[in-house]
């Protein structure tokens, strides 16, 4: 194994029993990565479908019904995405932490979360007035566009991790 350089806590993570298992057990890493992919397909897929409704598509479908159905699965999918992501991170902690795509990915994930939080605490409070068959307000459209851009960025950074 190459000489590990970096903060002590990252070296501690990368030399942990979990990290060694993730690197040495033939099928563990691929299975964890598959769970990561299944998780973010549900998360980002649900977000995208909700965002397209915010942009005014499928106006016959009440926004509240979509929110109740899609965003529940998006939240539940985090139980797959985050633990699997952390397990893959631990396996190569010093390298990943230094990878610009990983750092940008975490920033974009926080920004996407913040965008969703501001949407729910803000314009979504008035959803009853634009729930069905009417133009969605610009603030809802903006939240939808930002979400589409941010989650596309997260996925792009995730894929680029292997190249940088
Ligand atoms: C929350 C939304 C997230 C999305 C949408 C996401 C998306 C992705 C994508 C698209 C990949 C590339 C998969 C591939 O090409 O096979 C990936 C890989 C990875 N993700 Fe995530 N991820 C998320 C969260 C996280 C978190 C929270 C962490 C860890 C703290 C993480 C750590 C990783 C690592 C380490 C890899 C690299 C796997 C490899 O190339 O070997 N991800 N992620």
């Amino acid at each position: 194994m190459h000489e590990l350089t970096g903060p002590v806590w990252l070296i501690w993570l990368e030399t942990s029993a979990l990290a060694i298992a993730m690197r040495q057990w033939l099928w563990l890493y691929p299975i964890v990565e598959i769970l990561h992919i299944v998780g973010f397909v549900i998360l980002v897929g649900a977000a995208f479908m909700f965002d397209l409704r915010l942009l005014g598509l499928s106006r016959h479908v009440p926004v509240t019904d979509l929110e109740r159905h899609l965003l529940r699965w998006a939240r539940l999918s985090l139980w797959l995405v985050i633990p699997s992501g952390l397990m893959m991170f631990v396996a190569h902690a010093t390298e990943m932490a230094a990878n610009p795509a990983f750092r940008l990915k975490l920033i974009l994930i926080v920004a996407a979360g913040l965008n969703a939080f501001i949407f729910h605490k803000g314009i979504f409070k008035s959803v009853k007035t634009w729930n069905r068959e009417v133009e969605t307000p610009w603030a809802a459209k903006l939240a939808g566009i930002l979400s589409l851009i941010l989650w596309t960025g997260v996925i792009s950074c995730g894929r680029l991790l292997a190249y940088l």
Side-chain angles (χ1 to χ4, degrees):
M1 184 168 176
H2 65 276
E3 177 63 29
L4 293 181
T5 54
V8 175
W9 69 278
L10 286 174
I11 294 174
W12 178 80
L13 282 178
E14 193 161 338
T15 52
S16 65
L18 173 62
I20 293 167
M22 282 290 284
R23 290 194 301 272
Q24 294 184 350
W25 297 2
L26 183 61
W27 287 105
L28 183 56
Y29 197 101
I31 290 169
V32 170
E33 184 150 26
I34 290 166
L35 292 175
H36 195 63
I37 294 171
V38 170
F40 72 68
V41 163
I42 298 169
L43 172 69
V44 179
F48 272 33
M49 291 306 111
F50 187 65
D51 297 336
L52 293 174
R53 176 64 187 83
L54 293 182
L55 292 182
L57 296 172
S58 310
R59 283 188 190 177
H60 62 284
V61 181
V63 175
T64 48
D65 290 3
L66 271 187
E67 194 272 344
R68 213 171 307 124
H69 174 58
L70 292 175
L71 301 192
R72 177 186 357 173
W73 290 108
R75 290 185 198 107
L76 283 174
S77 72
L78 293 174
W79 290 103
L80 264 183
V81 174
I82 295 176
S84 59
L86 288 172
M87 288 175 73
M88 293 190 291
F89 173 80
V90 162
H92 306 283
T94 56
E95 243 175 273
M96 277 297 164
N99 187 321
F102 186 77
R103 294 178 179 194
L104 180 57
K105 182 181 173 189
L106 291 187
I107 292 167
L108 294 175
I109 291 171
V110 171
L114 204 57
N115 179 46
F117 179 78
I118 292 168
F119 168 78
H120 282 278
K121 295 298 176 206
I123 191 67
F124 190 64
K125 295 260 186 247
S126 66
V127 69
K128 288 262 173 304
T129 63
W130 47 275
N131 197 21
R132 192 166 178 215
E133 298 298 2
V134 292
E135 181 81 22
T136 49
W138 69 266
K141 285 195 176 84
L142 181 63
I145 291 166
L146 277 176
S147 173
L148 290 169
I149 294 169
L150 290 169
W151 284 120
T152 304
V154 172
I155 288 184
S156 308
C157 288
R159 183 74 285 246
L160 288 172
L161 286 172
Y163 297 93
L164 298 179

mmCIF file of all heavy atoms in Angstrom, residues 119-141:
data_model
loop_
_atom_site.group_PDB
_atom_site.id
_atom_site.type_symbol
_atom_site.label_atom_id
_atom_site.label_comp_id
_atom_site.label_asym_id
_atom_site.label_seq_id
_atom_site.Cartn_x
_atom_site.Cartn_y
_atom_site.Cartn_z
ATOM 1 N N PHE A 119 -37.123 26.324 -0.676
ATOM 2 C CA PHE A 119 -38.373 26.112 -1.429
ATOM 3 C C PHE A 119 -39.509 25.717 -0.483
ATOM 4 O O PHE A 119 -40.591 26.316 -0.502
ATOM 5 C CB PHE A 119 -38.171 25.019 -2.482
ATOM 6 C CG PHE A 119 -39.465 24.544 -3.107
ATOM 7 C CD1 PHE A 119 -40.084 25.295 -4.086
ATOM 8 C CD2 PHE A 119 -40.059 23.361 -2.684
ATOM 9 C CE1 PHE A 119 -41.290 24.865 -4.643
ATOM 10 C CE2 PHE A 119 -41.255 22.926 -3.237
ATOM 11 C CZ PHE A 119 -41.870 23.685 -4.216
ATOM 12 N N HIS A 120 -39.212 24.732 0.395
ATOM 13 C CA HIS A 120 -40.275 24.219 1.273
ATOM 14 C C HIS A 120 -40.691 25.238 2.329
ATOM 15 O O HIS A 120 -41.861 25.316 2.700
ATOM 16 C CB HIS A 120 -39.821 22.903 1.914
ATOM 17 C CG HIS A 120 -39.921 21.753 0.972
ATOM 18 N ND1 HIS A 120 -41.095 21.088 0.736
ATOM 19 C CD2 HIS A 120 -39.007 21.190 0.145
ATOM 20 C CE1 HIS A 120 -40.900 20.151 -0.166
ATOM 21 N NE2 HIS A 120 -39.642 20.190 -0.545
ATOM 22 N N LYS A 121 -39.707 26.032 2.818
ATOM 23 C CA LYS A 121 -40.026 27.048 3.839
ATOM 24 C C LYS A 121 -40.579 28.318 3.200
ATOM 25 O O LYS A 121 -41.130 29.178 3.889
ATOM 26 C CB LYS A 121 -38.752 27.386 4.643
ATOM 27 C CG LYS A 121 -38.207 26.228 5.466
ATOM 28 C CD LYS A 121 -39.193 25.774 6.517
ATOM 29 C CE LYS A 121 -38.668 24.557 7.277
ATOM 30 N NZ LYS A 121 -39.783 23.758 7.820
ATOM 31 N N GLY A 122 -40.416 28.432 1.862
ATOM 32 C CA GLY A 122 -40.822 29.665 1.173
ATOM 33 C C GLY A 122 -42.053 29.454 0.308
ATOM 34 O O GLY A 122 -43.148 29.193 0.818
ATOM 35 N N ILE A 123 -41.877 29.492 -0.983
ATOM 36 C CA ILE A 123 -42.977 29.506 -1.950
ATOM 37 C C ILE A 123 -43.921 28.310 -1.794
ATOM 38 O O ILE A 123 -45.121 28.429 -2.066
ATOM 39 C CB ILE A 123 -42.421 29.600 -3.400
ATOM 40 C CG1 ILE A 123 -43.543 29.892 -4.398
ATOM 41 C CG2 ILE A 123 -41.657 28.324 -3.787
ATOM 42 C CD1 ILE A 123 -44.163 31.259 -4.228
ATOM 43 N N PHE A 124 -43.430 27.176 -1.310
ATOM 44 C CA PHE A 124 -44.300 25.992 -1.207
ATOM 45 C C PHE A 124 -45.433 26.211 -0.200
ATOM 46 O O PHE A 124 -46.475 25.551 -0.272
ATOM 47 C CB PHE A 124 -43.483 24.763 -0.823
ATOM 48 C CG PHE A 124 -44.254 23.467 -0.923
ATOM 49 C CD1 PHE A 124 -44.716 23.009 -2.146
ATOM 50 C CD2 PHE A 124 -44.527 22.725 0.212
ATOM 51 C CE1 PHE A 124 -45.444 21.829 -2.244
ATOM 52 C CE2 PHE A 124 -45.240 21.544 0.129
ATOM 53 C CZ PHE A 124 -45.714 21.098 -1.106
ATOM 54 N N LYS A 125 -45.240 27.148 0.700
ATOM 55 C CA LYS A 125 -46.283 27.427 1.713
ATOM 56 C C LYS A 125 -47.575 27.909 1.036
ATOM 57 O O LYS A 125 -48.658 27.741 1.564
ATOM 58 C CB LYS A 125 -45.790 28.498 2.698
ATOM 59 C CG LYS A 125 -44.599 28.067 3.548
ATOM 60 C CD LYS A 125 -45.024 27.648 4.943
ATOM 61 C CE LYS A 125 -43.854 27.346 5.840
ATOM 62 N NZ LYS A 125 -43.765 25.910 6.211
ATOM 63 N N SER A 126 -47.435 28.512 -0.165
ATOM 64 C CA SER A 126 -48.631 29.046 -0.863
ATOM 65 C C SER A 126 -49.108 28.094 -1.955
ATOM 66 O O SER A 126 -49.861 28.491 -2.850
ATOM 67 C CB SER A 126 -48.255 30.393 -1.512
ATOM 68 O OG SER A 126 -47.277 30.162 -2.547
ATOM 69 N N VAL A 127 -48.674 26.822 -1.901
ATOM 70 C CA VAL A 127 -48.950 25.883 -2.999
ATOM 71 C C VAL A 127 -50.447 25.755 -3.310
ATOM 72 O O VAL A 127 -50.834 25.476 -4.451
ATOM 73 C CB VAL A 127 -48.338 24.492 -2.697
ATOM 74 C CG1 VAL A 127 -49.069 23.801 -1.540
ATOM 75 C CG2 VAL A 127 -48.314 23.609 -3.939
ATOM 76 N N LYS A 128 -51.296 25.971 -2.313
ATOM 77 C CA LYS A 128 -52.741 25.805 -2.540
ATOM 78 C C LYS A 128 -53.221 26.735 -3.673
ATOM 79 O O LYS A 128 -54.143 26.423 -4.405
ATOM 80 C CB LYS A 128 -53.514 26.124 -1.259
ATOM 81 C CG LYS A 128 -53.370 25.050 -0.155
ATOM 82 C CD LYS A 128 -54.572 24.093 -0.152
ATOM 83 C CE LYS A 128 -54.381 22.912 0.801
ATOM 84 N NZ LYS A 128 -53.138 22.116 0.545
ATOM 85 N N THR A 129 -52.514 27.877 -3.829
ATOM 86 C CA THR A 129 -52.960 28.845 -4.851
ATOM 87 C C THR A 129 -52.412 28.495 -6.243
ATOM 88 O O THR A 129 -52.827 29.093 -7.238
ATOM 89 C CB THR A 129 -52.461 30.263 -4.471
ATOM 90 O OG1 THR A 129 -51.013 30.247 -4.473
ATOM 91 C CG2 THR A 129 -52.951 30.674 -3.086
ATOM 92 N N TRP A 130 -51.470 27.557 -6.345
ATOM 93 C CA TRP A 130 -50.941 27.196 -7.671
ATOM 94 C C TRP A 130 -50.789 25.674 -7.829
ATOM 95 O O TRP A 130 -49.976 25.195 -8.608
ATOM 96 C CB TRP A 130 -49.589 27.905 -7.934
ATOM 97 C CG TRP A 130 -48.581 27.841 -6.828
ATOM 98 C CD1 TRP A 130 -48.517 28.698 -5.754
ATOM 99 C CD2 TRP A 130 -47.501 26.920 -6.665
ATOM 100 N NE1 TRP A 130 -47.448 28.336 -4.945
ATOM 101 C CE2 TRP A 130 -46.805 27.260 -5.479
ATOM 102 C CE3 TRP A 130 -47.049 25.822 -7.412
ATOM 103 C CZ2 TRP A 130 -45.695 26.552 -5.018
ATOM 104 C CZ3 TRP A 130 -45.934 25.122 -6.958
ATOM 105 C CH2 TRP A 130 -45.273 25.479 -5.769
ATOM 106 N N ASN A 131 -51.648 24.944 -7.079
ATOM 107 C CA ASN A 131 -51.495 23.484 -6.982
ATOM 108 C C ASN A 131 -51.809 22.748 -8.281
ATOM 109 O O ASN A 131 -51.194 21.729 -8.586
ATOM 110 C CB ASN A 131 -52.418 22.961 -5.868
ATOM 111 C CG ASN A 131 -52.037 21.569 -5.423
ATOM 112 O OD1 ASN A 131 -50.896 21.130 -5.634
ATOM 113 N ND2 ASN A 131 -52.974 20.852 -4.849
ATOM 114 N N ARG A 132 -52.781 23.271 -9.069
ATOM 115 C CA ARG A 132 -53.231 22.508 -10.232
ATOM 116 C C ARG A 132 -53.747 23.406 -11.351
ATOM 117 O O ARG A 132 -54.411 24.409 -11.067
ATOM 118 C CB ARG A 132 -54.370 21.587 -9.761
ATOM 119 C CG ARG A 132 -54.770 20.552 -10.703
ATOM 120 C CD ARG A 132 -55.632 19.505 -10.058
ATOM 121 N NE ARG A 132 -56.011 18.541 -11.083
ATOM 122 C CZ ARG A 132 -57.201 17.939 -11.107
ATOM 123 N NH1 ARG A 132 -58.086 18.196 -10.143
ATOM 124 N NH2 ARG A 132 -57.496 17.091 -12.064
ATOM 125 N N GLU A 133 -53.398 23.068 -12.627
ATOM 126 C CA GLU A 133 -53.967 23.744 -13.794
ATOM 127 C C GLU A 133 -53.710 25.249 -13.831
ATOM 128 O O GLU A 133 -54.398 25.971 -14.536
ATOM 129 C CB GLU A 133 -55.485 23.480 -13.905
ATOM 130 C CG GLU A 133 -55.865 22.023 -14.092
ATOM 131 C CD GLU A 133 -55.337 21.374 -15.391
ATOM 132 O OE1 GLU A 133 -54.628 22.090 -16.142
ATOM 133 O OE2 GLU A 133 -55.565 20.179 -15.618
ATOM 134 N N VAL A 134 -52.727 25.762 -13.053
ATOM 135 C CA VAL A 134 -52.371 27.185 -13.175
ATOM 136 C C VAL A 134 -50.847 27.309 -13.315
ATOM 137 O O VAL A 134 -50.103 26.381 -12.995
ATOM 138 C CB VAL A 134 -52.830 28.004 -11.934
ATOM 139 C CG1 VAL A 134 -54.337 28.087 -11.855
ATOM 140 C CG2 VAL A 134 -52.228 27.448 -10.653
ATOM 141 N N GLU A 135 -50.413 28.496 -13.806
ATOM 142 C CA GLU A 135 -48.973 28.772 -13.971
ATOM 143 C C GLU A 135 -48.285 28.707 -12.608
ATOM 144 O O GLU A 135 -48.812 29.238 -11.619
ATOM 145 C CB GLU A 135 -48.831 30.200 -14.549
ATOM 146 C CG GLU A 135 -47.419 30.656 -14.818
ATOM 147 C CD GLU A 135 -46.856 30.123 -16.139
ATOM 148 O OE1 GLU A 135 -47.692 29.765 -17.005
ATOM 149 O OE2 GLU A 135 -45.624 30.021 -16.259
ATOM 150 N N THR A 136 -47.142 28.025 -12.526
ATOM 151 C CA THR A 136 -46.438 28.006 -11.237
ATOM 152 C C THR A 136 -45.675 29.320 -11.071
ATOM 153 O O THR A 136 -45.171 29.870 -12.063
ATOM 154 C CB THR A 136 -45.429 26.840 -11.182
ATOM 155 O OG1 THR A 136 -44.643 26.850 -12.373
ATOM 156 C CG2 THR A 136 -46.128 25.504 -11.070
ATOM 157 N N PRO A 137 -45.583 29.856 -9.829
ATOM 158 C CA PRO A 137 -44.897 31.141 -9.622
ATOM 159 C C PRO A 137 -43.412 31.052 -9.983
ATOM 160 O O PRO A 137 -42.822 29.970 -9.897
ATOM 161 C CB PRO A 137 -45.084 31.418 -8.128
ATOM 162 C CG PRO A 137 -45.534 30.165 -7.518
ATOM 163 C CD PRO A 137 -46.108 29.295 -8.584
ATOM 164 N N TRP A 138 -42.805 32.195 -10.341
ATOM 165 C CA TRP A 138 -41.410 32.195 -10.791
ATOM 166 C C TRP A 138 -40.472 31.633 -9.733
ATOM 167 O O TRP A 138 -39.478 30.965 -10.044
ATOM 168 C CB TRP A 138 -40.979 33.592 -11.235
ATOM 169 C CG TRP A 138 -40.871 34.581 -10.124
ATOM 170 C CD1 TRP A 138 -41.813 35.458 -9.705
ATOM 171 C CD2 TRP A 138 -39.767 34.731 -9.216
ATOM 172 N NE1 TRP A 138 -41.379 36.155 -8.607
ATOM 173 C CE2 TRP A 138 -40.120 35.743 -8.299
ATOM 174 C CE3 TRP A 138 -38.507 34.125 -9.103
ATOM 175 C CZ2 TRP A 138 -39.277 36.148 -7.263
ATOM 176 C CZ3 TRP A 138 -37.657 34.528 -8.079
ATOM 177 C CH2 TRP A 138 -38.039 35.534 -7.183
ATOM 178 N N ALA A 139 -40.792 31.864 -8.443
ATOM 179 C CA ALA A 139 -39.901 31.364 -7.372
ATOM 180 C C ALA A 139 -39.870 29.835 -7.366
ATOM 181 O O ALA A 139 -38.839 29.220 -7.097
ATOM 182 C CB ALA A 139 -40.384 31.893 -6.019
ATOM 183 N N ALA A 140 -41.004 29.211 -7.713
ATOM 184 C CA ALA A 140 -41.050 27.741 -7.775
ATOM 185 C C ALA A 140 -40.277 27.258 -9.001
ATOM 186 O O ALA A 140 -39.534 26.274 -8.937
ATOM 187 C CB ALA A 140 -42.508 27.278 -7.840
ATOM 188 N N LYS A 141 -40.440 27.996 -10.111
ATOM 189 C CA LYS A 141 -39.694 27.631 -11.334
ATOM 190 C C LYS A 141 -38.192 27.737 -11.081
ATOM 191 O O LYS A 141 -37.420 26.849 -11.458
ATOM 192 C CB LYS A 141 -40.102 28.555 -12.492
ATOM 193 C CG LYS A 141 -41.459 28.262 -13.098
ATOM 194 C CD LYS A 141 -41.618 28.979 -14.445
ATOM 195 C CE LYS A 141 -42.932 28.614 -15.111
ATOM 196 N NZ LYS A 141 -44.056 29.452 -14.618
#
